[in-house]
Amino acid sequence: MRNACRLAAEVLQMIGPHVRTGVTTEQLDQICHDYIVNVQQAIPAPLNYKGFPKSICTSLNHVVCHGIPSDRKLKDSDIINIDITVIKDGFHGDTSMMFMLDQASIRARRLTEITYECMRTGIRMIKPGVTLGDIGHAIQFYAETRNCSVVREYCGHGIGRNFHEEPQVLHYGEKGTGMNLVPGMTFTVEPMINAGKRHVKLLPDNWTVVTKDRSLSAQWEHTVLVTNDGYEVLTLRPGEDI
Ligand code: MF3
Ligand code: CO
Ligand code: CO
């Protein structure tokens, strides 16, 4: 898991300098695909996963998640989530981050920062004995006290030999409910936070999830290990401090 997760983090680092005005999300997909396959000698997990047509997810502005790379060129006001999952030696590493282009609005920047803090707040609570409900509650509280909303239809997940395993890691909930964390568990924390209402809809391509009210949405994701006394962020990037 450590190895697969490190590779996923390295893809996000590698792609950063390519996320610029004028590049298409399909070009970003191609660069990531080639890096994962040829340099890392790993497998891009999304490709053909339940019929997903590309190697990464690219979710722009009001897209909540599962955006499909296309010929859409990035604009200087865009915010975009890039979600990378690689398979190495049979294990999955899953991580995503937001990129803000030069002219992203103050609102977009604020949402992006709040969403990062939601993920961070959830991760920092992780230790044996804490429940999944404790984590969900903390994330929901952080978002809602800042006038943002938490998407409920999609959540974090156990991860390992399979892309999506039990348990579901909800980003909302009640303290003291749900599964107790136990050392050795690996799961993702990946809140999707909207600037407007929480409701979403699925586009006719059957993948792209957007906010119903067309408000901006942001997401960050890490894969985390529960340790004897806390957590280890397996997809941490160099210089990142949770
Ligand atoms: N990487 C996403 C997650 O965090 C799942 C993408 S599924 C795909 O769980 F098929 F769209 F790739
Ligand atoms: Co995930
Ligand atoms: Co992901």
Side-chain angles (χ1 to χ4, degrees):
M1 282 302 285
R2 286 196 177 96
N3 207 19
C5 287
R6 181 178 48 78
L7 295 182
E10 284 174 3
V11 178
L12 284 179
Q13 268 186 277
M14 178 282 298
I15 202 64
H18 296 278
V19 182
R20 305 190 66 192
T21 305
V23 74
T24 69
T25 51
E26 223 153 40
Q27 288 171 323
L28 297 174
D29 175 74
Q30 189 68 53
I31 296 165
C32 290
H33 172 93
D34 292 350
Y35 188 80
I36 294 166
V37 171
N38 299 325
V39 178
Q40 299 185 328
Q41 299 187 305
I43 300 165
L47 188 59
N48 302 319
Y49 178 77
K50 298 185 177 173
F52 191 78
K54 298 287 183 179
S55 296
I56 66 174
C57 296
T58 51
S59 302
L60 276 158
N61 301 324
H62 70 292
V63 178
V64 172
C65 63
H66 304 166
I68 303 173
S70 71
D71 60 5
R72 160 73 151 80
K73 286 185 170 136
L74 297 189
K75 293 192 278 210
D76 60 6
S77 59
D78 284 336
I79 59 171
I80 182 173
N81 173 279
I82 299 183
D83 193 337
I84 303 292
T85 313
V86 306
I87 311 172
K88 183 70 174 181
D89 300 328
F91 290 95
H92 291 70
D94 190 6
T95 184
S96 79
M97 68 179 286
M98 297 299 297
F99 294 90
M100 297 182 282
L101 282 89
D102 290 350
Q103 301 298 313
S105 67
I106 303 283
R107 266 176 40 243
R109 290 174 189 278
R110 179 172 176 273
L111 175 68
T112 297
E113 282 161 23
I114 289 170
T115 306
Y116 187 80
E117 287 306 314
C118 282
M119 177 189 67
R120 196 163 179 261
T121 300
I123 290 173
R124 288 173 70 117
M125 295 187 62
I126 294 172
K127 63 178 181 189
V130 164
T131 71
L132 287 175
D134 294 335
I135 294 170
H137 176 82
I139 292 170
Q140 181 180 9
F141 183 84
Y142 192 93
E144 291 182 354
T145 53
R146 287 160 182 81
N147 260 304
C148 294
S149 64
V150 178
V151 171
R152 306 221 177 172
E153 289 81 356
Y154 302 88
C155 58
H157 48 91
I159 182 169
R161 290 192 180 276
N162 300 299
F163 196 161
H164 296 108
E165 298 182 357
E166 290 297 301
Q168 293 199 65
V169 180
L170 304 181
H171 304 110
Y172 63 93
E174 302 300 332
K175 285 183 193 170
T177 65
M179 185 183 285
N180 270 287
L181 303 188
V182 173
M185 289 177 165
T186 50
F187 58 84
T188 70
V189 178
E190 51 178 304
M192 285 142 275
I193 306 294
N194 299 344
K197 297 210 164 72
R198 68 173 178 83
H199 305 94
V200 301
K201 72 176 187 202
L202 186 62
L203 295 189
D205 64 20
N206 265 305
W207 280 106
T208 310
V209 179
V210 298
T211 56
K212 222 175 199 170
D213 63 9
R214 292 206 130 236
S215 64
L216 289 173
S217 188
Q219 179 177 29
W220 294 80
E221 174 176 26
H222 273 308
T223 299
V224 182
L225 165 71
V226 183
T227 62
N228 289 327
D229 57 356
Y231 60 87
E232 183 177 327
V233 182
L234 301 181
T235 45
L236 204 65
R237 293 176 293 281
E240 189 183 6
D241 185 26
I242 298 283

